[in-house]
Amino acid sequence: MNIYDIANRANVSIATVSRVINNSPKVSEKTRKKVLDIVNELGFTPNVFARGLGLNTMKTIGILCSDPSDIYVAGALSCFEKMLRKNGYDSLLCCSGYDTKNLKKYIDILISKSVDAVIMIGSKYISSRDNKNLIKNTAKSLPIFLINGSLKGENIYCAYYDDFNATKKCTDMLYEAGKRKLLFLYNSTSQSAKRKLDGFMKGCKEYKHSGILFTSLLCTENDIESILSALFKFGKENFIPDGIIASDDFLAMIALKFAKQNNISLPEDLSIIGYDNSIFSKVSYPELTTVDSRLFDLCSHSVNTLLEVFGGQSPENITVFEPMIIERDTFRT
Amino acid sequence: MNIYDIANRANVSIATVSRVINNSPKVSEKTRKKVLDIVNELGFTPNVFARGLGLNTMKTIGILCSDPSDIYVAGALSCFEKMLRKNGYDSLLCCSGYDTKNLKKYIDILISKSVDAVIMIGSKYISSRDNKNLIKNTAKSLPIFLINGSLKGENIYCAYYDDFNATKKCTDMLYEAGKRKLLFLYNSTSQSAKRKLDGFMKGCKEYKHSGILFTSLLCTENDIESILSALFKFGKENFIPDGIIASDDFLAMIALKFAKQNNISLPEDLSIIGYDNSIFSKVSYPELTTVDSRLFDLCSHSVNTLLEVFGGQSPENITVFEPMIIERDTFRT
DNA sequence: CTGTTAGCGCCTTCAT
DNA sequence: ATGAAGGCGCTAACAG
């Protein structure tokens, strides 16, 4: 079934049918109704290929992410799909895994499907110089939206969170609460993780002369056991922290587990601050004090920007959101 | 850039270029190489619309789910995308939320994008008679794959887990461990939840004459506070359970939290068994004993079935996977 | 307001 | 082994 069939039945030309389908104003109400009735009766849906072929747009956005089973990614994905759909766009999902080397491959896939834009969730993609150039190049042909990452360039729109400020603030708070042996836990060397680490270091260095000890632990292995044993080994060596800042709630949960296994009392002997205000932070006991990464704000802002770009406007290229610390039970000021 | 450009540069016709792109055997090695070189040099990718217009397939699978921020859905999504991509298929994501009434709307969206098949994650969609008929009807035009749900019908392929057996087994184990006041927690009336509830009831009824008390609690509100307060109110009334089976790990986590808040010792005074073997069960302390829902098996089996269907074979329509209980710390036999 | 027609880029059948 | 040409369904420019 195609517009010819509809046109035949309605005794009009295919052009008229096309106009009706696309809500063109220049159709008489009478013809419109006649055509619409037949369209509904036959349950006709225009063929996207044919439409795309002419318009070269399929109202589809490519969403590039590492892995939706990551809780942060899943949240972003959920938000994007919902908002995009509300505005008539479909979401083509493309998961790259945690290796960012073959970004080109995935971008090519999305481009070959003629997506109208690419949303990249996570700052890992911007780590290498090659990838940066690749993204800048890609942006020549379609707008790119970076969630949680920062890259200057035409047709590139970034929204991220001021992680530096956030961890700096956390460090300050821990110090002011009397904590003097601080540990920063992180699991990636992404832009975002770096910003967090930098904020932590900055804070610690300011208190250096006040007898503060601090260090950071990169947990590259992502399974719980290895992180726990790293923590354990770490604690044994020389440094038993009284304050931990984690780059995400998952790591914070493991730190919490470690503390409980070792009968360390929270938050007196050890304070823990997580990151993301994820479901983990609410479901745990005690509940995690955490940094709200305002995922929803980031995502909805990005979709709005996207709509503005498609609407021919020129929105800001970079938007930074301010941190907010959610105090729960693992640390209180 | 299109095949005409390539054809020009290579001094061949577009037909030849098309043949090369599609690995047709009837092209001389020499021409093939000549064309391929230019294709690679220019980074040419055939236009999917044009291709789809003729072939009416876009090598895209529609994935219908409630919400990827649900941890189970996220896991399935991750698995599907990965396996489909490996086999040259893209994933078009479509999230319906938890209201299953407008299934038709979402199916129409996917069909209008000419997906080659639809994968439906979650058994909620099969709840109403209307939806069942809708799915059967849709299956006339393209294959449908049901994850965690069961519906007989041509061109409908189901993979689910024997939840009945699983909760039945859990109930048996709790009874054998001396538990006599059992509670089943669930949060949905999906097929899968019903199977779980039935298994629990079956088990309990068998022990009815041995002085066992049992009941179930449907937690429709999905926020932690209301579930906690439901549990609290519940405990106050008349029934303090010594064994809880939850329909997912999230509910189990909340039960765990409740127990800890009320200084109930685990697993002595209260045993908890979760469901799904999700990240929750491993990150909590004590770790959750849980039922492994073998998500990965379900998903990969479904993708294999899908490939078989596309390959013209006739695989089994319904596959049931057997339960496996993972013993951790909240209950031990 | 409505109809005619030329593409959009590719695949495929039919000639050669 | 290769080329020419029709057709896939739709949109938009143009003509009436």
Side-chain angles (χ1 to χ4, degrees), chain A residues 33 44 113 152 180 212 263 327:
Chain A
K33 185 178 176 344
F44 165 72
K113 289 276 173 167
K152 270 189 196 163
R180 290 296 178 271
I212 198 176
N263 288 316
E327 283 198 23

mmCIF file of all heavy atoms in Angstrom, chain A residues 33 44 113 152 180 212 263 327:
data_model
loop_
_atom_site.group_PDB
_atom_site.id
_atom_site.type_symbol
_atom_site.label_atom_id
_atom_site.label_comp_id
_atom_site.label_asym_id
_atom_site.label_seq_id
_atom_site.Cartn_x
_atom_site.Cartn_y
_atom_site.Cartn_z
ATOM 1 N N LYS A 33 -10.242 15.763 4.588
ATOM 2 C CA LYS A 33 -11.020 14.768 5.328
ATOM 3 C C LYS A 33 -11.189 13.479 4.517
ATOM 4 O O LYS A 33 -10.977 12.379 5.013
ATOM 5 C CB LYS A 33 -12.391 15.341 5.683
ATOM 6 C CG LYS A 33 -13.200 14.383 6.566
ATOM 7 C CD LYS A 33 -14.513 14.938 6.972
ATOM 8 C CE LYS A 33 -15.347 13.917 7.775
ATOM 9 N NZ LYS A 33 -14.887 12.526 7.689
ATOM 10 N N PHE A 44 -2.802 3.259 6.567
ATOM 11 C CA PHE A 44 -1.615 3.541 5.759
ATOM 12 C C PHE A 44 -0.525 4.299 6.530
ATOM 13 O O PHE A 44 -0.804 5.249 7.254
ATOM 14 C CB PHE A 44 -2.037 4.365 4.527
ATOM 15 C CG PHE A 44 -0.898 5.006 3.814
ATOM 16 C CD1 PHE A 44 -0.012 4.248 3.058
ATOM 17 C CD2 PHE A 44 -0.695 6.380 3.910
ATOM 18 C CE1 PHE A 44 1.047 4.844 2.407
ATOM 19 C CE2 PHE A 44 0.360 6.980 3.252
ATOM 20 C CZ PHE A 44 1.227 6.220 2.497
ATOM 21 N N LYS A 113 23.576 5.087 8.538
ATOM 22 C CA LYS A 113 22.127 5.001 8.720
ATOM 23 C C LYS A 113 21.485 6.374 8.619
ATOM 24 O O LYS A 113 20.311 6.549 8.955
ATOM 25 C CB LYS A 113 21.810 4.385 10.080
ATOM 26 C CG LYS A 113 22.134 2.916 10.158
ATOM 27 C CD LYS A 113 21.010 2.052 9.610
ATOM 28 C CE LYS A 113 21.461 0.602 9.542
ATOM 29 N NZ LYS A 113 20.391 -0.335 9.311
ATOM 30 N N LYS A 152 35.665 21.817 22.196
ATOM 31 C CA LYS A 152 35.270 23.002 21.447
ATOM 32 C C LYS A 152 35.241 22.699 19.961
ATOM 33 O O LYS A 152 36.131 22.007 19.448
ATOM 34 C CB LYS A 152 36.265 24.138 21.713
ATOM 35 C CG LYS A 152 35.860 24.993 22.900
ATOM 36 C CD LYS A 152 36.746 26.227 22.992
ATOM 37 C CE LYS A 152 36.616 26.852 24.379
ATOM 38 N NZ LYS A 152 37.702 27.781 24.677
ATOM 39 N N ARG A 180 41.270 13.823 58.022
ATOM 40 C CA ARG A 180 42.631 14.202 57.652
ATOM 41 C C ARG A 180 43.341 13.184 56.769
ATOM 42 O O ARG A 180 44.467 13.406 56.329
ATOM 43 C CB ARG A 180 43.476 14.411 58.930
ATOM 44 C CG ARG A 180 43.086 15.657 59.740
ATOM 45 C CD ARG A 180 43.336 16.942 58.956
ATOM 46 N NE ARG A 180 42.925 18.130 59.710
ATOM 47 C CZ ARG A 180 41.702 18.652 59.674
ATOM 48 N NH1 ARG A 180 40.754 18.064 58.937
ATOM 49 N NH2 ARG A 180 41.416 19.731 60.372
ATOM 50 N N ILE A 212 47.428 17.191 56.362
ATOM 51 C CA ILE A 212 46.469 16.284 55.750
ATOM 52 C C ILE A 212 47.217 15.246 54.913
ATOM 53 O O ILE A 212 48.248 15.543 54.306
ATOM 54 C CB ILE A 212 45.458 17.081 54.885
ATOM 55 C CG1 ILE A 212 44.225 16.234 54.602
ATOM 56 C CG2 ILE A 212 46.095 17.520 53.586
ATOM 57 C CD1 ILE A 212 43.177 17.009 53.849
ATOM 58 N N ASN A 263 34.093 -3.808 60.035
ATOM 59 C CA ASN A 263 33.531 -3.212 61.244
ATOM 60 C C ASN A 263 33.987 -1.786 61.498
ATOM 61 O O ASN A 263 34.195 -1.383 62.640
ATOM 62 C CB ASN A 263 33.872 -4.067 62.465
ATOM 63 C CG ASN A 263 33.062 -5.339 62.447
ATOM 64 O OD1 ASN A 263 31.858 -5.313 62.178
ATOM 65 N ND2 ASN A 263 33.723 -6.466 62.702
ATOM 66 N N GLU A 327 23.229 15.257 51.051
ATOM 67 C CA GLU A 327 23.689 14.666 52.308
ATOM 68 C C GLU A 327 22.765 13.557 52.755
ATOM 69 O O GLU A 327 21.583 13.773 52.976
ATOM 70 C CB GLU A 327 23.774 15.741 53.397
ATOM 71 C CG GLU A 327 24.992 16.607 53.235
ATOM 72 C CD GLU A 327 25.330 17.361 54.516
ATOM 73 O OE1 GLU A 327 24.925 16.921 55.605
ATOM 74 O OE2 GLU A 327 26.005 18.400 54.406
#
